Amino acid sequence: MRHIISILLENEAGALSRVSGLFSARAYNIESLTVAPTEDPSMSRMTIVTTGSEDVIEQITKQLNKLVEVVKVVDLSEAEHIERELMLIKVRAGLKEREDMKRMADIFRGRVIDVSDNTYTIELTGDCAKLDAFIQALDAGAIIETVRTGASGIGRGNRVLRV
Amino acid sequence: MDRVKGLELTGAEIVVRCLQEEGVEFVFGYPGGAVLNIYDEIFKQDKVKHVLVRHEQGAAHAADGYSRASNKVGVCLVTSGPGVTNAVTGIATAYMDSIPMVILSGQVPTHAIGLDAFQEVDTVGVTRPCVKHNFLVKDIKDLAATIKKAFYLATSGRPGPVLVDIPKDITAAKHEFLYPESVAMRSYNPVVKGHAGQIKKAVQLLTEAKRPMIYTGGGVILSDAAPQLTEFVRLLGYPVTNTLMGLGAYPASDKQFLGMPGMHGTYEANMAMQNCDVLLAVGARFDDRVIGNPDHFAQNPRKIIHIDIDPSSISKRVKVDVPIVGHVPEVLEEMLKLLRAGSKRVAAADLAAWWKQIEEWRGKDCLKYDRNSEIIKPQFVIEKLWEATGGDAFVTSDVGQHQMWAAQFYRFDKPRRWINSGGLGTMGFGLPAAMGVQYANPGATVACVTGEASIQMCIQELSTCKQYRMPIKIVNLNNRYLGMVRQWQELDYGGRYSSRTWTRCLISSS
Ligand SMILES: Cc1cc2nc3c(=O)[nH]c(=O)nc-3n(C[C@H](O)[C@H](O)[C@H](O)COP(=O)(O)OP(=O)(O)OC[C@H]3O[C@@H](n4cnc5c(N)ncnc54)[C@H](O)[C@@H]3O)c2cc1C
Ligand SMILES: Cc1ncc(C[n+]2csc(CCOP(=O)(O)OP(=O)(O)O)c2C)c(N)n1
Ligand SMILES: [Mg+2]
């Protein structure tokens, strides 16, 4: 099953490699991993999307908690949460394709943020499934380049992860 | 607490002062360019004594042996690059068995890091998977606090080796010395006290059991909980088994002791593990050498209670019914309180029937061997060793058949007497570990039970033993084989003894 795990960790050199090293050493899957400092610069917030059986996910959260620099871990998928990912996608947009491409971006609530003679760069946010759907909806030949950030997640309502 | 306010010390002086503050008596090490400032400071004082080994692996094993045979922290000191890579086997050995240890390593100067400098290696990267935690000190003002943290992390929670990598320029820079009295880390707060509700549930399950079994491991030794365990087991009158890492936690000569469990364990211990209805695991991690395939193990229905300080040890290989996260002595004390307060066993007849069954299993005498054979059996040698030492020696071992014979036939009645590499299974551990054991217990008898192959992996340490006049007794069970490998080739490879000839050459030329 797909799980989205949020981690608060000390913003220290090497903390990221301890987390990624844990995943590779114990053969856990990582679909995506994003990390950046929080409002408190001494702390980073990481979101990891992973897949595994319930037993594996339990071990993943325990092993993460065991890392000395990890302050808190929560499996967001255990309850109501929101996830968002940002994608920048460069597509072919010559005279012929322009209008269709713009319409497609609109349907997905994307924004065209850069234009050249024959390309558009579209910014799109949403959950991972929506970004996948956008890519699916385009003609494979139309895509020149994609950059995705990986999912960031947060609990709904009063569900918070902080120290 | 000794403080030198206002006085500036060099990093090297700070390192040595920190070791003094921690009460470190011995450092096992090997010098090199990156740590020469530290060596110079060690030379200038006499509180912290340095033991010069012959190979950094020996330094790590010696520090590890020192920890295992005492409740102090072994310390080793190695230089950058090859110094630290040589020590990795020793660090990984300590990590797998959760041994508290502090490794200080030299590093190239901060300005040279990342430039492929002479004797540079990414020490934090290389050792990351085999330490509890590691640090690279980038600023002299963090040095003392980092060393304090290293000792704290090594000894608290689930113990383990912690490495502090110190660039050479940091050992020369100057800073005021302030040794922190305590450590608080928001990201690290191991649980010590067990959950009261779970403890109650556990005691109830145990007292209502028909076929109870107690299975204990290294966690009992590491937390010095042998007295509590012994009282607990005696009070209940239940059978008990100790893993290879847990031997000595319960007196092996007592009749409630069923021997070791697992692949090399006794028939009765394994049968009782398999057929019990309530299994209490204490500081033991359901290793594959102990329970084999977890799916097969799970086929017999039984309730499992598991006490461990590391939540990730619980329900890792085997699903547990009553998990108790906590420090063994604290949890056992709580359970003892409940037992003393009257949670008495109900069905004495069931327990008697269970013991009758166990005695039948024990009656097979699975470890019997021919005591009168012309060629002296290795088992016999260990029994004689037990006699000669009054059963009271510190016994280290290497890895192989000799290790299993020592574990099976030297009846350990006390904790911290049996010193071996269980998790990593490191050949070469025995001799250097014995050096550390001897330093931790100066007057004691220390024996290293080894094989003709294992001993050669750190044979250079004989020279250290000679230099420091360590009266270590080496018992070499020379079977002219990589015995344990041969045993596997016999069982699994139809007797194709690949590499046997090499073994023969090796032995006949030695
Ligand atoms: C050739 C060979 C053959 C082997 N055959 C066998 C065999 O037949 N039988 C056998 O038993 N072993 C055998 N071993 C050893 C085996 O590989 C494991 O090392 C061993 O079984 C693990 O022991 P343990 O479960 O006691 O755990 P350890 O590795 O000792 O781990 C200790 C556990 O206690 C916990 N702990 C630590 N401190 C505390 C505390 N303060 N409070 C609570 N919990 C704590 C830790 O978190 C950990 O889970 C063999 C090894 C070799 C090399
Ligand atoms: C460093 C290392 N290399 C290889 C092994 C694999 N191994 C396990 S036991 C063994 C043979 C040990 O031979 P010996 O020391 O003579 O002991 P015996 O089994 O004969 O008693 C080997 C090669 C190991 N455990 N450690
Ligand atoms: Mg041999």
Side-chain angles (χ1 to χ4, degrees), chain A residues 10 13 17-18 40 42 55 58-59 62-63 66 68-71, chain B residues 128 133-134 138 153 158 185-187 310-312 314-316 319:
Chain A
E10 298 291 346
S17 50
R18 283 182 216 281
D40 169 359
S42 72
D55 291 349
E58 181 181 331
Q59 268 297 311
K62 285 175 169 178
Q63 294 290 348
K66 196 165 143 183
V68 168
E69 283 156 341
V70 166
V71 184
Chain B
R128 187 184 303 120
H133 197 61
N134 57 18
K138 288 203 213 120
L153 288 171
R158 179 177 186 166
M185 296 168 79
R186 64 180 168 187
S187 62
D310 178 358
S312 77
I314 298 178
S315 290
K316 180 170 68 177
K319 269 265 168 258

PDB file of all heavy atoms in Angstrom, chain A residues 10 13 17-18 40 42 55 58-59 62-63 66 68-71, chain B residues 128 133-134 138 153 158 185-187 310-312 314-316 319:
ATOM      1  N   GLU A  10      16.320  17.214  12.668  1.00  0.00           N
ATOM      2  CA  GLU A  10      17.288  18.285  12.871  1.00  0.00           C
ATOM      3  C   GLU A  10      17.851  18.683  11.511  1.00  0.00           C
ATOM      4  O   GLU A  10      18.197  17.826  10.702  1.00  0.00           O
ATOM      5  CB  GLU A  10      18.432  17.805  13.787  1.00  0.00           C
ATOM      6  CG  GLU A  10      18.013  17.399  15.185  1.00  0.00           C
ATOM      7  CD  GLU A  10      17.559  18.582  16.041  1.00  0.00           C
ATOM      8  OE1 GLU A  10      17.797  19.744  15.665  1.00  0.00           O
ATOM      9  OE2 GLU A  10      16.947  18.325  17.106  1.00  0.00           O
ATOM     10  N   ALA A  13      23.831  18.752   8.622  1.00  0.00           N
ATOM     11  CA  ALA A  13      24.497  18.106   7.496  1.00  0.00           C
ATOM     12  C   ALA A  13      24.461  16.607   7.738  1.00  0.00           C
ATOM     13  O   ALA A  13      24.731  16.152   8.838  1.00  0.00           O
ATOM     14  CB  ALA A  13      25.937  18.584   7.416  1.00  0.00           C
ATOM     15  N   SER A  17      21.155  12.046   4.441  1.00  0.00           N
ATOM     16  CA  SER A  17      21.734  10.776   3.992  1.00  0.00           C
ATOM     17  C   SER A  17      21.474   9.669   5.004  1.00  0.00           C
ATOM     18  O   SER A  17      21.460   8.490   4.640  1.00  0.00           O
ATOM     19  CB  SER A  17      23.220  10.909   3.683  1.00  0.00           C
ATOM     20  OG  SER A  17      23.876  11.531   4.738  1.00  0.00           O
ATOM     21  N   ARG A  18      21.270  10.019   6.266  1.00  0.00           N
ATOM     22  CA  ARG A  18      20.896   8.975   7.224  1.00  0.00           C
ATOM     23  C   ARG A  18      19.523   8.395   6.866  1.00  0.00           C
ATOM     24  O   ARG A  18      19.303   7.188   6.951  1.00  0.00           O
ATOM     25  CB  ARG A  18      20.842   9.534   8.646  1.00  0.00           C
ATOM     26  CG  ARG A  18      22.205   9.705   9.246  1.00  0.00           C
ATOM     27  CD  ARG A  18      22.141  10.212  10.666  1.00  0.00           C
ATOM     28  NE  ARG A  18      23.242  11.109  10.915  1.00  0.00           N
ATOM     29  CZ  ARG A  18      24.494  10.716  11.177  1.00  0.00           C
ATOM     30  NH1 ARG A  18      24.785   9.440  11.256  1.00  0.00           N
ATOM     31  NH2 ARG A  18      25.445  11.600  11.361  1.00  0.00           N
ATOM     32  N   ASP A  40      11.165  27.148  11.708  1.00  0.00           N
ATOM     33  CA  ASP A  40      12.288  27.106  12.635  1.00  0.00           C
ATOM     34  C   ASP A  40      13.471  26.542  11.853  1.00  0.00           C
ATOM     35  O   ASP A  40      13.488  25.359  11.513  1.00  0.00           O
ATOM     36  CB  ASP A  40      11.917  26.182  13.811  1.00  0.00           C
ATOM     37  CG  ASP A  40      13.117  25.853  14.686  1.00  0.00           C
ATOM     38  OD1 ASP A  40      14.235  26.324  14.386  1.00  0.00           O
ATOM     39  OD2 ASP A  40      12.918  25.121  15.674  1.00  0.00           O
ATOM     40  N   SER A  42      16.245  25.505  12.466  1.00  0.00           N
ATOM     41  CA  SER A  42      17.042  24.401  12.996  1.00  0.00           C
ATOM     42  C   SER A  42      16.394  23.053  12.686  1.00  0.00           C
ATOM     43  O   SER A  42      16.927  22.009  13.012  1.00  0.00           O
ATOM     44  CB  SER A  42      17.220  24.550  14.507  1.00  0.00           C
ATOM     45  OG  SER A  42      15.998  24.281  15.171  1.00  0.00           O
ATOM     46  N   ASP A  55       3.330  -4.400   7.919  1.00  0.00           N
ATOM     47  CA  ASP A  55       4.511  -4.729   8.734  1.00  0.00           C
ATOM     48  C   ASP A  55       5.718  -3.885   8.333  1.00  0.00           C
ATOM     49  O   ASP A  55       6.465  -3.402   9.170  1.00  0.00           O
ATOM     50  CB  ASP A  55       4.879  -6.215   8.574  1.00  0.00           C
ATOM     51  CG  ASP A  55       3.844  -7.123   9.205  1.00  0.00           C
ATOM     52  OD1 ASP A  55       2.968  -6.599   9.928  1.00  0.00           O
ATOM     53  OD2 ASP A  55       3.912  -8.351   8.966  1.00  0.00           O
ATOM     54  N   GLU A  58       5.303  -0.327   9.431  1.00  0.00           N
ATOM     55  CA  GLU A  58       5.545  -0.224  10.877  1.00  0.00           C
ATOM     56  C   GLU A  58       7.047  -0.179  11.163  1.00  0.00           C
ATOM     57  O   GLU A  58       7.524   0.642  11.945  1.00  0.00           O
ATOM     58  CB  GLU A  58       4.899  -1.423  11.592  1.00  0.00           C
ATOM     59  CG  GLU A  58       5.070  -1.394  13.096  1.00  0.00           C
ATOM     60  CD  GLU A  58       4.441  -2.607  13.799  1.00  0.00           C
ATOM     61  OE1 GLU A  58       3.460  -3.169  13.276  1.00  0.00           O
ATOM     62  OE2 GLU A  58       4.954  -2.981  14.872  1.00  0.00           O
ATOM     63  N   GLN A  59       7.797  -1.060  10.498  1.00  0.00           N
ATOM     64  CA  GLN A  59       9.252  -1.045  10.676  1.00  0.00           C
ATOM     65  C   GLN A  59       9.845   0.269  10.169  1.00  0.00           C
ATOM     66  O   GLN A  59      10.742   0.828  10.801  1.00  0.00           O
ATOM     67  CB  GLN A  59       9.904  -2.226   9.940  1.00  0.00           C
ATOM     68  CG  GLN A  59      10.085  -3.464  10.783  1.00  0.00           C
ATOM     69  CD  GLN A  59      11.018  -3.277  11.978  1.00  0.00           C
ATOM     70  OE1 GLN A  59      12.122  -2.754  11.862  1.00  0.00           O
ATOM     71  NE2 GLN A  59      10.564  -3.675  13.148  1.00  0.00           N
ATOM     72  N   LYS A  62       9.319   2.892  12.776  1.00  0.00           N
ATOM     73  CA  LYS A  62      10.154   2.623  13.953  1.00  0.00           C
ATOM     74  C   LYS A  62      11.619   2.918  13.665  1.00  0.00           C
ATOM     75  O   LYS A  62      12.322   3.504  14.493  1.00  0.00           O
ATOM     76  CB  LYS A  62      10.002   1.164  14.380  1.00  0.00           C
ATOM     77  CG  LYS A  62       8.687   0.869  15.090  1.00  0.00           C
ATOM     78  CD  LYS A  62       8.583  -0.620  15.372  1.00  0.00           C
ATOM     79  CE  LYS A  62       7.436  -0.942  16.307  1.00  0.00           C
ATOM     80  NZ  LYS A  62       7.337  -2.414  16.513  1.00  0.00           N
ATOM     81  N   GLN A  63      12.074   2.470  12.516  1.00  0.00           N
ATOM     82  CA  GLN A  63      13.480   2.696  12.174  1.00  0.00           C
ATOM     83  C   GLN A  63      13.768   4.181  11.990  1.00  0.00           C
ATOM     84  O   GLN A  63      14.844   4.661  12.350  1.00  0.00           O
ATOM     85  CB  GLN A  63      13.866   1.922  10.898  1.00  0.00           C
ATOM     86  CG  GLN A  63      13.835   0.404  11.036  1.00  0.00           C
ATOM     87  CD  GLN A  63      14.951  -0.144  11.916  1.00  0.00           C
ATOM     88  OE1 GLN A  63      15.893   0.568  12.268  1.00  0.00           O
ATOM     89  NE2 GLN A  63      14.843  -1.410  12.290  1.00  0.00           N
ATOM     90  N   LYS A  66      14.142   5.810  15.244  1.00  0.00           N
ATOM     91  CA  LYS A  66      15.365   5.407  15.920  1.00  0.00           C
ATOM     92  C   LYS A  66      16.552   6.284  15.506  1.00  0.00           C
ATOM     93  O   LYS A  66      17.527   6.388  16.248  1.00  0.00           O
ATOM     94  CB  LYS A  66      15.628   3.950  15.536  1.00  0.00           C
ATOM     95  CG  LYS A  66      16.601   3.232  16.390  1.00  0.00           C
ATOM     96  CD  LYS A  66      16.460   1.741  16.119  1.00  0.00           C
ATOM     97  CE  LYS A  66      17.776   1.041  16.139  1.00  0.00           C
ATOM     98  NZ  LYS A  66      17.643  -0.373  15.802  1.00  0.00           N
ATOM     99  N   VAL A  68      18.934   9.154  15.329  1.00  0.00           N
ATOM    100  CA  VAL A  68      19.141  10.126  16.403  1.00  0.00           C
ATOM    101  C   VAL A  68      18.675  11.526  16.004  1.00  0.00           C
ATOM    102  O   VAL A  68      18.188  12.282  16.838  1.00  0.00           O
ATOM    103  CB  VAL A  68      20.628  10.109  16.841  1.00  0.00           C
ATOM    104  CG1 VAL A  68      20.952  11.280  17.741  1.00  0.00           C
ATOM    105  CG2 VAL A  68      20.936   8.789  17.547  1.00  0.00           C
ATOM    106  N   GLU A  69      18.791  11.879  14.737  1.00  0.00           N
ATOM    107  CA  GLU A  69      18.424  13.246  14.351  1.00  0.00           C
ATOM    108  C   GLU A  69      16.942  13.422  14.019  1.00  0.00           C
ATOM    109  O   GLU A  69      16.499  14.533  13.736  1.00  0.00           O
ATOM    110  CB  GLU A  69      19.275  13.692  13.152  1.00  0.00           C
ATOM    111  CG  GLU A  69      20.679  14.077  13.604  1.00  0.00           C
ATOM    112  CD  GLU A  69      21.714  13.968  12.521  1.00  0.00           C
ATOM    113  OE1 GLU A  69      21.478  13.276  11.509  1.00  0.00           O
ATOM    114  OE2 GLU A  69      22.786  14.576  12.701  1.00  0.00           O
ATOM    115  N   VAL A  70      16.198  12.335  14.042  1.00  0.00           N
ATOM    116  CA  VAL A  70      14.777  12.443  13.742  1.00  0.00           C
ATOM    117  C   VAL A  70      14.007  12.833  15.004  1.00  0.00           C
ATOM    118  O   VAL A  70      14.117  12.185  16.042  1.00  0.00           O
ATOM    119  CB  VAL A  70      14.243  11.121  13.159  1.00  0.00           C
ATOM    120  CG1 VAL A  70      12.720  11.089  13.148  1.00  0.00           C
ATOM    121  CG2 VAL A  70      14.784  10.920  11.756  1.00  0.00           C
ATOM    122  N   VAL A  71      13.237  13.918  14.900  1.00  0.00           N
ATOM    123  CA  VAL A  71      12.508  14.408  16.071  1.00  0.00           C
ATOM    124  C   VAL A  71      11.131  13.754  16.162  1.00  0.00           C
ATOM    125  O   VAL A  71      10.712  13.309  17.216  1.00  0.00           O
ATOM    126  CB  VAL A  71      12.376  15.950  16.020  1.00  0.00           C
ATOM    127  CG1 VAL A  71      11.703  16.478  17.280  1.00  0.00           C
ATOM    128  CG2 VAL A  71      13.750  16.592  15.857  1.00  0.00           C
TER     129      VAL A  71
ATOM    130  N   ARG B 128      28.522   5.128   8.680  1.00  0.00           N
ATOM    131  CA  ARG B 128      27.121   5.430   9.006  1.00  0.00           C
ATOM    132  C   ARG B 128      26.255   4.197   9.228  1.00  0.00           C
ATOM    133  O   ARG B 128      25.530   4.122  10.224  1.00  0.00           O
ATOM    134  CB  ARG B 128      26.499   6.320   7.927  1.00  0.00           C
ATOM    135  CG  ARG B 128      25.101   6.801   8.304  1.00  0.00           C
ATOM    136  CD  ARG B 128      24.452   7.598   7.187  1.00  0.00           C
ATOM    137  NE  ARG B 128      25.249   8.733   6.811  1.00  0.00           N
ATOM    138  CZ  ARG B 128      25.752   8.947   5.608  1.00  0.00           C
ATOM    139  NH1 ARG B 128      25.532   8.086   4.628  1.00  0.00           N
ATOM    140  NH2 ARG B 128      26.472  10.006   5.348  1.00  0.00           N
ATOM    141  N   HIS B 133      25.386   6.258  16.008  1.00  0.00           N
ATOM    142  CA  HIS B 133      25.390   7.611  15.476  1.00  0.00           C
ATOM    143  C   HIS B 133      26.835   8.020  15.256  1.00  0.00           C
ATOM    144  O   HIS B 133      27.745   7.438  15.847  1.00  0.00           O
ATOM    145  CB  HIS B 133      24.715   8.577  16.459  1.00  0.00           C
ATOM    146  CG  HIS B 133      24.330   9.878  15.822  1.00  0.00           C
ATOM    147  ND1 HIS B 133      23.448   9.967  14.773  1.00  0.00           N
ATOM    148  CD2 HIS B 133      24.721  11.153  16.069  1.00  0.00           C
ATOM    149  CE1 HIS B 133      23.297  11.232  14.416  1.00  0.00           C
ATOM    150  NE2 HIS B 133      24.061  11.980  15.191  1.00  0.00           N
ATOM    151  N   ASN B 134      27.054   9.004  14.378  1.00  0.00           N
ATOM    152  CA  ASN B 134      28.405   9.527  14.247  1.00  0.00           C
ATOM    153  C   ASN B 134      28.373  11.030  14.022  1.00  0.00           C
ATOM    154  O   ASN B 134      27.332  11.601  13.672  1.00  0.00           O
ATOM    155  CB  ASN B 134      29.195   8.790  13.158  1.00  0.00           C
ATOM    156  CG  ASN B 134      28.527   8.829  11.798  1.00  0.00           C
ATOM    157  OD1 ASN B 134      27.659   9.656  11.530  1.00  0.00           O
ATOM    158  ND2 ASN B 134      28.934   7.931  10.922  1.00  0.00           N
ATOM    159  N   LYS B 138      33.056  20.109  13.134  1.00  0.00           N
ATOM    160  CA  LYS B 138      33.528  21.103  12.169  1.00  0.00           C
ATOM    161  C   LYS B 138      33.969  22.387  12.837  1.00  0.00           C
ATOM    162  O   LYS B 138      34.520  23.272  12.190  1.00  0.00           O
ATOM    163  CB  LYS B 138      32.403  21.409  11.173  1.00  0.00           C
ATOM    164  CG  LYS B 138      32.160  20.270  10.213  1.00  0.00           C
ATOM    165  CD  LYS B 138      31.500  20.807   8.960  1.00  0.00           C
ATOM    166  CE  LYS B 138      30.557  19.808   8.355  1.00  0.00           C
ATOM    167  NZ  LYS B 138      29.199  20.226   8.257  1.00  0.00           N
ATOM    168  N   LEU B 153      25.019   8.869  24.030  1.00  0.00           N
ATOM    169  CA  LEU B 153      24.312   8.053  23.040  1.00  0.00           C
ATOM    170  C   LEU B 153      24.773   6.596  23.103  1.00  0.00           C
ATOM    171  O   LEU B 153      23.961   5.670  22.992  1.00  0.00           O
ATOM    172  CB  LEU B 153      24.548   8.600  21.634  1.00  0.00           C
ATOM    173  CG  LEU B 153      23.850   9.918  21.289  1.00  0.00           C
ATOM    174  CD1 LEU B 153      24.359  10.449  19.947  1.00  0.00           C
ATOM    175  CD2 LEU B 153      22.333   9.725  21.232  1.00  0.00           C
ATOM    176  N   ARG B 158      19.098   1.748  23.500  1.00  0.00           N
ATOM    177  CA  ARG B 158      19.784   0.549  23.013  1.00  0.00           C
ATOM    178  C   ARG B 158      21.224   0.966  22.763  1.00  0.00           C
ATOM    179  O   ARG B 158      21.480   1.809  21.903  1.00  0.00           O
ATOM    180  CB  ARG B 158      19.143   0.059  21.717  1.00  0.00           C
ATOM    181  CG  ARG B 158      19.845  -1.155  21.167  1.00  0.00           C
ATOM    182  CD  ARG B 158      19.151  -1.680  19.930  1.00  0.00           C
ATOM    183  NE  ARG B 158      19.747  -2.922  19.474  1.00  0.00           N
ATOM    184  CZ  ARG B 158      19.198  -3.733  18.586  1.00  0.00           C
ATOM    185  NH1 ARG B 158      18.033  -3.432  18.066  1.00  0.00           N
ATOM    186  NH2 ARG B 158      19.781  -4.842  18.220  1.00  0.00           N
ATOM    187  N   MET B 185      18.587  16.177  24.293  1.00  0.00           N
ATOM    188  CA  MET B 185      18.418  16.225  22.837  1.00  0.00           C
ATOM    189  C   MET B 185      16.932  16.060  22.539  1.00  0.00           C
ATOM    190  O   MET B 185      16.351  15.058  22.932  1.00  0.00           O
ATOM    191  CB  MET B 185      19.211  15.088  22.178  1.00  0.00           C
ATOM    192  CG  MET B 185      20.715  15.215  22.391  1.00  0.00           C
ATOM    193  SD  MET B 185      21.587  13.716  21.909  1.00  0.00           S
ATOM    194  CE  MET B 185      21.629  13.929  20.132  1.00  0.00           C
ATOM    195  N   ARG B 186      16.360  17.031  21.857  1.00  0.00           N
ATOM    196  CA  ARG B 186      14.916  16.936  21.610  1.00  0.00           C
ATOM    197  C   ARG B 186      14.579  15.761  20.701  1.00  0.00           C
ATOM    198  O   ARG B 186      13.458  15.280  20.678  1.00  0.00           O
ATOM    199  CB  ARG B 186      14.381  18.240  21.003  1.00  0.00           C
ATOM    200  CG  ARG B 186      14.953  18.548  19.635  1.00  0.00           C
ATOM    201  CD  ARG B 186      14.401  19.836  19.059  1.00  0.00           C
ATOM    202  NE  ARG B 186      15.188  20.225  17.896  1.00  0.00           N
ATOM    203  CZ  ARG B 186      15.046  21.357  17.261  1.00  0.00           C
ATOM    204  NH1 ARG B 186      14.153  22.244  17.660  1.00  0.00           N
ATOM    205  NH2 ARG B 186      15.794  21.641  16.211  1.00  0.00           N
ATOM    206  N   SER B 187      15.587  15.310  19.937  1.00  0.00           N
ATOM    207  CA  SER B 187      15.302  14.244  18.973  1.00  0.00           C
ATOM    208  C   SER B 187      15.629  12.861  19.530  1.00  0.00           C
ATOM    209  O   SER B 187      15.523  11.873  18.816  1.00  0.00           O
ATOM    210  CB  SER B 187      16.114  14.481  17.705  1.00  0.00           C
ATOM    211  OG  SER B 187      17.493  14.428  18.009  1.00  0.00           O
ATOM    212  N   ASP B 310      14.197  -1.162  22.405  1.00  0.00           N
ATOM    213  CA  ASP B 310      14.156  -0.639  21.038  1.00  0.00           C
ATOM    214  C   ASP B 310      12.842  -1.078  20.378  1.00  0.00           C
ATOM    215  O   ASP B 310      12.671  -2.253  20.065  1.00  0.00           O
ATOM    216  CB  ASP B 310      15.356  -1.201  20.266  1.00  0.00           C
ATOM    217  CG  ASP B 310      15.361  -0.759  18.820  1.00  0.00           C
ATOM    218  OD1 ASP B 310      14.425  -0.046  18.399  1.00  0.00           O
ATOM    219  OD2 ASP B 310      16.307  -1.138  18.094  1.00  0.00           O
ATOM    220  N   PRO B 311      11.930  -0.137  20.147  1.00  0.00           N
ATOM    221  CA  PRO B 311      10.649  -0.514  19.556  1.00  0.00           C
ATOM    222  C   PRO B 311      10.816  -1.264  18.232  1.00  0.00           C
ATOM    223  O   PRO B 311      10.002  -2.122  17.896  1.00  0.00           O
ATOM    224  CB  PRO B 311       9.943   0.827  19.314  1.00  0.00           C
ATOM    225  CG  PRO B 311      10.617   1.801  20.223  1.00  0.00           C
ATOM    226  CD  PRO B 311      12.029   1.306  20.408  1.00  0.00           C
ATOM    227  N   SER B 312      11.900  -0.976  17.507  1.00  0.00           N
ATOM    228  CA  SER B 312      12.058  -1.625  16.202  1.00  0.00           C
ATOM    229  C   SER B 312      12.475  -3.095  16.340  1.00  0.00           C
ATOM    230  O   SER B 312      12.445  -3.834  15.360  1.00  0.00           O
ATOM    231  CB  SER B 312      13.045  -0.857  15.322  1.00  0.00           C
ATOM    232  OG  SER B 312      14.363  -1.095  15.710  1.00  0.00           O
ATOM    233  N   ILE B 314      10.786  -5.007  18.288  1.00  0.00           N
ATOM    234  CA  ILE B 314       9.517  -5.664  18.594  1.00  0.00           C
ATOM    235  C   ILE B 314       8.668  -5.796  17.329  1.00  0.00           C
ATOM    236  O   ILE B 314       8.538  -4.848  16.572  1.00  0.00           O
ATOM    237  CB  ILE B 314       8.758  -4.877  19.694  1.00  0.00           C
ATOM    238  CG1 ILE B 314       9.591  -4.876  20.981  1.00  0.00           C
ATOM    239  CG2 ILE B 314       7.371  -5.471  19.930  1.00  0.00           C
ATOM    240  CD1 ILE B 314       9.006  -4.095  22.130  1.00  0.00           C
ATOM    241  N   SER B 315       8.133  -6.999  17.139  1.00  0.00           N
ATOM    242  CA  SER B 315       7.346  -7.310  15.944  1.00  0.00           C
ATOM    243  C   SER B 315       8.127  -7.078  14.651  1.00  0.00           C
ATOM    244  O   SER B 315       7.562  -6.714  13.626  1.00  0.00           O
ATOM    245  CB  SER B 315       6.039  -6.511  15.917  1.00  0.00           C
ATOM    246  OG  SER B 315       5.176  -6.986  16.932  1.00  0.00           O
ATOM    247  N   LYS B 316       9.432  -7.267  14.706  1.00  0.00           N
ATOM    248  CA  LYS B 316      10.241  -7.153  13.489  1.00  0.00           C
ATOM    249  C   LYS B 316      10.200  -8.457  12.703  1.00  0.00           C
ATOM    250  O   LYS B 316       9.905  -8.469  11.527  1.00  0.00           O
ATOM    251  CB  LYS B 316      11.685  -6.783  13.834  1.00  0.00           C
ATOM    252  CG  LYS B 316      12.583  -6.657  12.615  1.00  0.00           C
ATOM    253  CD  LYS B 316      13.938  -6.065  12.953  1.00  0.00           C
ATOM    254  CE  LYS B 316      14.756  -7.017  13.803  1.00  0.00           C
ATOM    255  NZ  LYS B 316      16.098  -6.476  14.084  1.00  0.00           N
ATOM    256  N   LYS B 319       5.361 -11.550  15.156  1.00  0.00           N
ATOM    257  CA  LYS B 319       4.282 -10.710  15.714  1.00  0.00           C
ATOM    258  C   LYS B 319       4.176 -10.954  17.214  1.00  0.00           C
ATOM    259  O   LYS B 319       4.187 -12.086  17.671  1.00  0.00           O
ATOM    260  CB  LYS B 319       2.943 -11.072  15.057  1.00  0.00           C
ATOM    261  CG  LYS B 319       2.648 -10.247  13.833  1.00  0.00           C
ATOM    262  CD  LYS B 319       1.764  -9.035  14.200  1.00  0.00           C
ATOM    263  CE  LYS B 319       1.680  -8.017  13.085  1.00  0.00           C
ATOM    264  NZ  LYS B 319       2.535  -6.842  13.285  1.00  0.00           N
TER     265      LYS B 319
END
